RNA sequence: GCGAAAGUGGCGGAAUUGGUAGACGCGCAAGAUUCAGGUUCUUGUGAUCGCAAGGUCGUGGGGGUUCGAGUCCCCCCUUUCGCACCA
């Protein structure tokens, strides 16, 4: 105690010194240790945009603190970091400032690495991986080739989403909202007919719907489930009068007899053929208009069901009835087969369409409503017994779908089918700064994979990166020239690069062994560390990254490359820090909070603690410049508590109470850390500090309870304010680091209350509070209650009719 | 329209299973220290009536269950976020 120095708390000095020391000591190096349970904790990797902003801190600090907590609990924790370094912003910056994308990216990485280090997180920098490094993207290409070998990637010409501003195609997931905007730049995307590479993510639709082995937020599960959009029903084959097959998907095959017309999407390939000469001009005009509408915006909230008759007819396979074929923009080419059977009596959209175009409405399900189409004023969608349905008439509602499907299958007119909203993942990008697709196009042999020993296919540095809508690699004088690996003839390289979501789908594998050259990872590291145990990041990746990364590991699993099928077991999402004005932070609004400034003013420990304290982590909220002062005061108070001599040295009472507070705090902090409830971790520790300060001035500074309390406080602060805790730990004479101490085990005996405040209610209202011992029995409690002057007054002389006694809490007298 | 989450002081937010609503912090007020202070410390701080003791009201609104509801049930309102003619 006497060796304690009296020093001012100087966070900057302490933080720089300890960061250096930790690096020298390799304190945070994650090393395989079969004797300890591993825990792979991971935060979504940053994009090297230029500066670390407060949002990075918000994402990273709490997960770092929790990883530290887990490490103190005895887990062998790995907490790596890297950079998602390919991508459009580098090219955009390059165009704007005339600097090479590579240079821009790597300069930013250097700057951000420096900024990240001021955070004092327990990252193992030896495991850093950068997706734009050739040794990284070599393996991204290798994975592409494995997918190719197993038939999980293919090339297809189709109408794809293209962002005219980013000058590249996009995956379906990157097109946002009803008005179809680019996920990156919010430009409305257009459709283009292009030959592009796809990954067969739809092969994994059902696997992706299974979250049973995961501890993921319900919200993300719902997001992904809705995105995948599985619906069960039947595929039914209609034929045009000319005999062309028109396949439809329906979830209600039991309503087939009520199909009174068909509707095709305006872009449907058969439209041209079935349209009659009289209708051709009308149909062409409508189709052109519909296409233009998708290009502009379909905003009208009151969407009237527009459409035109093609002049063609189809035969309903269940009753050979001839029904008219219409086109309408409410049928989408991108979903199902782009054609529907319209059952106006039992589908509201079809109903509205039928009413506005004078088409027949024929009920075929008895839902208790009117049984004549003319009398209906809306479609009835409930299940019910089949009517007007040939031999199936009378089939009860519960069996209607299955029996109709059986009936269709017997007659080979249709079959049970499952339809998904999910599309295959389009990964081609017509941009320079990405991972080259390792394929060679041979005029004789077709697309051929680059032989594995030739990997990586290096991105050339000497490039004109202006965007044209085609890959800049195409304009390189020599890069694309290659020989066919199959026939040795002249061939051309694929000049598109991969979607960067491909690079980030597997980065957690590269962290295992970033310097390994024999494969994407060192198998021993993989066997020990994978899968990721705790994954944290923003909800904005709920569909994109988090769906792709699951697909990636599922594909590896199916290809026999790994023996697990989910990459990340537990997932938690943090919210967003808003500006003081409760708006999203942006330079143009001028409401950006710069972490570097805060670190300079308050120190990293204080910023860390405030970030954990100021809001519910999963929720986020507006930044408060005064709020951080309270946390700064707390840290200073803690510093003084542990460094300044007590003024009163007499031994006082209250050790038992102090120990109770200490161990109750340990219980609370442990539980809240476990549950990602960081704000209450801090508030509990503040209470403990306050209790220790009070105990100190009450003369308990020399007591063993006080010693115990300060020791526990330091250990529990260590994950939050690692530098300050380390400094105070050292000042107490410890040789080893506070960060390798065992997490305090709460003594539940010590935490137990001996006294409690008996709440005395009369008719459910609190009328008195009386201190009592915890083992107070009911009769004693009643006696205490009846002895209360206030209780007597509120009973107004009546005898309580009923007494409810909750031991250790309250007594309620009902009179 | 469908789905999800959320509504608690002036503010951010606490409240294991239904059992003292408002922990902790900000802000505010008064006082102390200070040449000074956007420092530090102490005290107070849901609203309302009252000199006080004490009372009444109070967790978006309405109803219900219960001895007792922020917490459970029903209806409604608001906000945020997803999806959006999904056949």
């Amino acid at each position: 105690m006497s060796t304690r120095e009296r020093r001012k708390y100087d966070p900057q000095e302490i933080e720089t010194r300890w960061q250096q020391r930790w690096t020298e000591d390799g304190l945070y190096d994650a090393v395989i240790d079969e004797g300890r349970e591993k825990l792979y904790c991971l935060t979504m990797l940053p994009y090297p945009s230029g500066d670390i902003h407060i949002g990075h801190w918000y994402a990273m600090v709490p997960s770092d603190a929790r990883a530290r907590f887990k490490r103190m609990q005895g887990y062998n924790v790995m907490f790596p970091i890297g950079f998602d370094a390919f991508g459009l912003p580098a090219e955009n910056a390059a165009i704007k400032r005339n600097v090479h994308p590579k240079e821009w990216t790597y300069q930013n990485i250097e700057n951000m690495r420096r900024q990240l280090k001021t955070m004092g997180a327990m990252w193992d920098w030896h495991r850093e991986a950068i997706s734009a490094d050739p040794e990284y993207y070599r393996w991204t290409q290798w994975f592409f080739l494995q997918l190719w070998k197993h038939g999980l990637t293919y090339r297809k010409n189709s109408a794809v989403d293209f962002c005219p501003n980013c000058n590249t195609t996009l995956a379906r997931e990157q097109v946002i909202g009803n008005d179809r905007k680019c996920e990156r730049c919010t430009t409305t995307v257009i459709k283009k007919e292009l030959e592009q590479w796809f990954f067969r993510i739809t092969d994994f639709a059902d696997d992706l719907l299974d979250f049973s082995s995961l501890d993921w937020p319900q919200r993300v599960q719902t997001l992904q489930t809705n995105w995948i959009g599985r619906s069960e029903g039947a595929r039914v084959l209609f034929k045009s009068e000319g005999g062309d097959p028109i396949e439809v998907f329906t979830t209600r095959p039991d309503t087939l007899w009520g199909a009174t017309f068909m509707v095709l999407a305006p872009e449907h390939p058969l439209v041209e053929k079935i349209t009659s000469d009289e209708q051709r001009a009308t149909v062409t005009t409508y189709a052109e208009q519909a296409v233009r509408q998708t290009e502009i915006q379909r905003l009208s909230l009151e969407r009237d069901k527009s459409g035109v008759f093609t002049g063609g007819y189809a035969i309903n396979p269940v009753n050979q009835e001839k029904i008219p074929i219409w086109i309408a923009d409410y049928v989408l080419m991108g979903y199902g087969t782009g054609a529907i059977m319209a059952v106006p009596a039992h589908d509201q959209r079809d109903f509205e369409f039928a009413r506005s175009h004078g088409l027949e409405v024929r009920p075929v399900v008895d839902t208790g409503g009117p049984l004549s189409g003319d009398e209906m004023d809306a479609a009835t969608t409930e299940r019910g017994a089949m009517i007007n349905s040939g031999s199936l008439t009378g089939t009860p509602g519960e069996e209607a779908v299955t029996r109709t499907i059986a009936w269709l299958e017997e007659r080979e007119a249709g079959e049970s089918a499952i339809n998904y909203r999910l599309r295959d993942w389009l990964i081609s990008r017509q941009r320079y700064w990405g991972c080259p697709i390792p394929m060679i196009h041979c005029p004789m042999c077709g697309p051929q994979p680059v032989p594995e020993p030739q990997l990586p296919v290096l991105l050339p540095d000497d490039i004109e990166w202006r965007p044209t809508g085609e890959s800049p690699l195409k304009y390189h004088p020599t890069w694309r020239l290659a020989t066919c690996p199959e026939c040795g003839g002249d061939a051309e390289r694929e000049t598109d690069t991969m979607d960067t979501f491909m690079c980030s789908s597997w980065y957690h594998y590269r962290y295992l062994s970033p310097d390994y050259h024999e494969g994407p990872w060192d198998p021993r590291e993989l066997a020990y560390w994978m899968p990721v145990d705790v994954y944290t990041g923003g909800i904005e990746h709920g569909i994109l990254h988090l769906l792709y990364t699951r697909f990636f590991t599922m594909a590896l699993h199916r290809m026999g490359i790994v023996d697990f099928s989910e990459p990340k077991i537990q997932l938690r999402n943090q919210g967003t820090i808003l500006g003081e004005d409760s708006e999203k932070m942006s330079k143009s609004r001028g409401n950006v909070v710069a972490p570097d400034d805060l670190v300079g003013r308050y120190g990293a420990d204080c910023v860390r603690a405030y970030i954990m304290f100021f809001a519910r982590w999963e929720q986020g909220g507006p930044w408060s410049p005064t709020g951080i002062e309270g946390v700064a005061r707390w840290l200073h108070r803690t510093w003084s508590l542990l460094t300044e001599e007590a003024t009163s040295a007499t031994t006082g009472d209250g050790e038992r109470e102090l120990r109770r507070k200490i161990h109750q705090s340990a219980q609370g902090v442990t539980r809240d850390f476990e549950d990602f409830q960081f704000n209450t971790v801090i508030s509990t520790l503040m209470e403990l500090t306050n209790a220790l300060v009070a105990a100190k001035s009450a003369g308990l500074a020399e007591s063993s309870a006080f010693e115990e309390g300060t020791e526990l406080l330091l250990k529990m602060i260590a994950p939050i304010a690692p530098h300050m805790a380390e400094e105070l730990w050292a000042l107490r004479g410890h040789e080893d680091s506070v960060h390798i101490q065992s997490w305090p085990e709460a003594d539940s005996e010590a935490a137990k209350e001996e006294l409690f405040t008996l709440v005395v209610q009369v008719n459910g209202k609190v009328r008195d509070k009386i201190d009592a011992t915890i083992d107070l029995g009911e009769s004693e409690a009643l006696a205490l209650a009846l002895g209360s002057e206030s209780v007597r007054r509120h009973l107004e002389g009546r005898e309580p009719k009923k007494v409810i006694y909750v031991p250790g809490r309250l007594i309620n007298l009902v009179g």
Side-chain angles (χ1 to χ4, degrees):
Chain A
M1 292 279 275
S2 53
T3 55
R4 279 183 204 172
E5 296 171 49
R6 198 168 236 245
R7 284 172 43 203
K8 267 200 78 160
Y9 174 43
D10 178 359
Q12 282 76 17
E13 187 275 323
I14 291 171
E15 286 168 10
T16 322
R17 179 154 46 79
W18 281 111
Q19 282 166 18
Q20 211 171 343
R21 173 75 183 278
W22 292 333
T23 308
E24 284 163 14
D25 294 354
L27 185 64
Y28 303 125
D29 297 353
V31 178
I32 292 177
D33 177 354
E34 298 292 350
R36 278 196 297 160
E37 198 176 335
K38 67 94 183 179
L39 200 79
Y40 188 168
C41 302
L42 183 64
T43 304
M44 288 181 189
L45 86 175
Y47 177 82
S49 52
D51 269 305
I52 289 294
H53 53 79
I54 199 76
H56 289 116
W57 280 68
Y58 196 54
M60 293 167 176
V61 162
S63 42
D64 170 63
R66 195 170 178 282
R68 289 172 171 279
F69 156 73
K70 282 287 171 188
R71 172 173 154 143
M72 290 175 79
Q73 276 193 326
Y75 292 95
N76 187 19
V77 172
M78 167 153 85
F79 190 59
I81 185 142
F83 293 93
D84 181 22
F86 274 136
L88 268 178
E91 280 182 84
N92 294 339
I95 293 155
K96 206 166 141 191
R97 305 172 200 191
N98 199 32
V99 51
H100 197 283
K102 186 182 193 174
E103 199 182 316
W104 183 84
T105 302
Y106 280 82
Q107 273 174 4
N108 285 347
I109 288 176
E110 202 164 310
N111 184 44
M112 289 172 78
R113 201 185 276 136
R114 180 186 56 75
Q115 291 176 311
L116 282 170
K117 284 181 176 173
T118 67
M119 218 180 262
M122 60 173 286
W123 287 306
D124 178 355
W125 285 96
H126 297 110
R127 293 178 180 271
E128 180 191 7
I130 299 170
S131 66
D133 283 352
E135 262 313 296
Y136 185 108
Y137 70 71
R138 168 184 181 182
W139 300 107
T140 309
Q141 293 173 343
W142 184 81
F143 286 120
F144 181 96
L145 295 181
Q146 307 312 305
L147 292 167
W148 164 264
K149 263 195 230 164
H150 290 83
L152 292 172
T153 178
Y154 64 93
R155 194 166 144 90
K156 184 178 82 171
N157 189 54
S158 62
V160 296
D161 297 306
F162 185 90
C163 172
N165 182 48
C166 297
N167 265 298
T168 182
T169 50
L170 300 171
R172 180 67 190 84
E173 286 77 20
Q174 288 169 295
V175 180
I176 306 293
N178 196 21
D179 41 1
R180 306 181 49 73
K181 301 226 185 260
C182 169
E183 171 255 343
R184 275 207 40 74
C185 71
T186 70
T187 306
T188 301
V189 303
I190 58 172
K191 287 278 182 191
K192 259 196 179 180
E193 283 283 331
L194 283 171
E195 181 99 8
Q196 300 279 281
W197 288 99
F198 293 85
F199 287 158
R200 282 192 204 280
I201 192 171
T202 53
D203 269 24
F204 297 83
D206 283 327
D207 301 310
L208 289 166
L209 284 169
D210 179 9
F211 293 91
S212 59
S213 63
L214 301 181
D215 172 13
W216 280 30
Q218 190 56 50
R219 202 170 152 208
V220 177
Q221 294 186 33
T222 309
L223 228 51
Q224 297 203 349
T225 303
N226 291 346
W227 183 258
I228 294 164
R230 182 183 203 270
S231 38
E232 291 181 21
R235 211 176 292 128
V236 184
L237 201 60
F238 283 64
K239 275 188 179 138
S240 74
E241 275 190 304
D244 292 301
I246 310 174
E247 199 175 66
V248 301
F249 173 77
T250 175
T251 53
R252 293 295 303 274
D254 57 320
T255 64
L256 257 164
W257 281 262
T260 50
F261 58 101
M262 281 194 96
V263 187
L264 306 189
E267 312 95 306
H268 195 283
L270 224 52
V271 170
E272 176 72 18
K273 192 165 175 193
I274 57 170
T275 300
S276 67
D277 292 340
E278 308 87 78
Q279 290 299 99
R280 190 162 303 278
T282 323
V283 166
T284 312
T285 313
Y286 181 82
E288 277 171 3
Q289 199 187 346
V291 170
R292 207 169 325 128
Q293 245 182 355
T294 56
E295 283 178 19
I296 307 164
Q297 277 185 357
R298 293 154 135 185
L299 267 185
S300 60
L301 287 171
E302 290 290 312
R303 268 183 271 243
D304 5 314
K305 292 281 177 292
S306 72
V308 295
F309 179 44
T310 61
Y313 290 86
I315 307 300
N316 185 342
V318 299
N319 54 13
Q320 309 309 313
E321 207 173 310
K322 192 172 128 178
I323 55 175
I325 305 175
W326 288 62
I327 61 167
D329 64 6
Y330 84 92
V331 175
L332 311 169
M333 198 56 222
Y335 183 78
T337 62
I340 62 158
M341 62 168 202
V343 184
H346 306 295
D347 181 287
Q348 186 56 27
R349 294 155 300 172
D350 298 346
F351 181 85
E352 287 165 24
F353 192 81
R355 279 288 186 262
S356 49
H357 297 96
L359 293 154
E360 187 196 348
V361 177
R362 185 196 304 163
V364 292
V365 176
D366 185 2
T367 57
L371 293 180
S372 143
D374 297 341
E375 291 167 34
M376 298 178 76
D377 48 17
T380 57
T381 53
E382 305 82 30
R383 304 276 154 157
M386 294 170 73
I387 54 172
N388 299 327
S389 298
S391 62
L392 287 177
T393 297
T395 306
E398 316 82 66
E399 297 168 25
V401 170
T402 48
R403 281 185 57 184
T404 309
I405 290 174
W407 190 94
L408 286 168
E409 285 175 347
E410 270 167 43
R411 285 156 185 79
E412 295 187 351
E415 58 188 356
S416 104
I418 294 160
N419 194 55
Y420 300 93
R421 202 182 99 107
L422 184 69
R423 305 284 96 187
D424 275 340
W425 176 14
L426 192 170
I427 56 112
S428 302
R429 297 292 178 274
Q430 292 72 51
R431 299 300 302 230
Y432 161 67
W433 191 234
C435 173
I437 295 173
M439 295 295 288
I440 291 170
H441 298 286
C442 172
M444 306 305 293
C445 314
Q448 293 297 321
V450 172
E452 284 179 25
Q454 290 177 26
L455 297 184
V457 175
L458 284 171
L459 208 52
D461 286 339
D462 52 332
I463 195 86
E464 175 59 57
W465 53 75
R466 78 201 137 93
T468 59
E470 288 188 293
S471 174
L473 292 175
K474 218 173 196 165
Y475 295 98
H476 190 279
T478 55
W479 186 81
R480 67 201 168 98
L481 305 177
T483 51
C484 171
E486 188 65 23
C487 69
D490 285 349
E492 285 197 8
R493 284 188 192 287
E494 168 67 52
T495 53
D496 284 352
T497 53
M498 279 185 238
D499 183 354
T500 56
F501 278 111
M502 173 62 182
C503 309
S504 59
S505 286
W506 76 280
Y507 72 101
H508 48 292
Y509 290 96
R510 195 59 192 165
Y511 286 163
L512 298 171
S513 45
D515 301 320
Y516 192 72
H517 302 299
E518 317 307 315
W521 53 68
D522 180 335
R524 287 175 310 144
E525 299 277 342
L526 180 91
Y528 182 75
W529 294 109
M530 281 299 289
V532 173
D533 298 282
V534 186
Y535 196 37
T536 59
I539 189 82
E540 67 274 17
H541 292 110
I543 295 177
L544 291 156
H545 164 64
L546 289 172
L547 195 67
Y548 296 145
T549 193
R550 290 181 69 212
F551 155 73
F552 186 91
T553 290
M554 285 172 183
L556 291 187
H557 180 61
R558 190 179 288 184
M559 295 188 292
I561 297 173
V562 300
D563 61 2
F564 48 90
S565 54
E566 289 284 357
K568 288 135 185 172
I569 304 305
Q570 185 183 40
L571 174 74
R572 290 295 181 273
N573 305 111
Q574 81 275 1
T576 320
I577 301 192
L578 303 171
E580 276 179 63
D581 51 4
S582 297
E583 298 287 339
K584 219 181 150 196
M585 280 192 199
S586 74
K587 277 181 194 155
S588 57
R589 280 206 188 84
N591 59 355
V592 175
V593 173
D596 284 2
D597 296 351
L598 294 169
V599 171
R601 187 155 167 201
Y602 298 100
D605 282 339
C606 180
V607 181
R608 289 173 62 101
Y610 182 60
I611 263 186
M612 294 172 70
F613 177 68
F614 90 102
R616 248 187 268 163
W617 191 55
E618 74 276 13
Q619 198 178 287
W623 181 262
S624 159
T626 50
I628 193 170
E629 302 276 356
V631 172
R633 271 174 222 143
W634 169 53
L635 291 181
H636 277 99
R637 207 158 54 235
T638 306
W639 180 269
S640 323
L641 172 74
L642 293 168
T643 54
E644 288 170 17
E645 293 295 332
T647 45
S648 119
T650 55
T651 310
D653 296 328
E655 276 202 67
R656 178 72 186 85
E657 284 70 29
L658 183 58
R659 287 203 74 222
R660 181 175 307 123
K661 186 72 189 172
I662 293 163
H663 289 277
Q664 285 179 346
S665 301
Q667 285 175 334
V669 169
T670 306
R671 185 192 62 223
D672 292 345
F673 249 130
E674 193 63 48
D675 297 343
F676 297 81
Q677 302 286 328
F678 303 111
N679 55 343
T680 48
V681 164
I682 307 283
S683 66
T684 305
L685 289 174
M686 284 174 168
E687 284 186 65
L688 179 56
T689 301
N690 294 347
L692 286 167
V693 169
K696 191 178 180 181
S697 59
L700 286 173
E702 304 288 334
S703 70
S704 63
F706 186 80
E707 264 310 294
E708 186 185 10
T710 46
E711 186 106 351
L712 257 67
L713 178 67
L714 265 189
K715 287 181 186 173
M716 292 194 287
I717 283 182
I720 298 151
H723 314 88
M724 187 182 89
E726 190 78 303
E727 178 73 5
L728 289 171
W729 187 255
L731 288 177
R732 286 167 78 84
H734 294 285
E735 298 284 324
D736 53 358
S737 168
V738 70
H739 301 297
I740 56 172
Q741 304 305 312
S742 299
W743 186 255
E745 286 280 343
D747 177 344
S748 54
E749 273 308 307
K752 236 178 228 162
E753 298 283 354
E754 291 170 334
L755 297 172
F756 79 107
T757 305
L758 176 71
V759 173
V760 185
Q761 298 180 331
V762 177
N763 291 324
K765 294 204 176 202
V766 180
R767 293 306 176 186
D768 207 350
K769 295 173 188 179
I770 304 166
D771 287 335
T773 52
I774 197 78
D775 53 358
L776 187 77
E778 174 158 357
S779 51
E780 300 160 285
L782 182 60
L784 274 177
L786 291 173
S788 157
E789 198 262 326
S790 167
V791 168
R792 277 203 303 272
R793 195 169 61 240
H794 286 278
L795 275 174
E796 294 167 341
R798 286 164 302 178
E799 279 295 307
K801 287 197 202 98
K802 194 173 168 187
V803 175
I804 288 120
Y805 180 58
V806 184
R809 287 202 187 269
L810 58 74
I811 187 163
N812 188 7
L813 310 183
V814 187

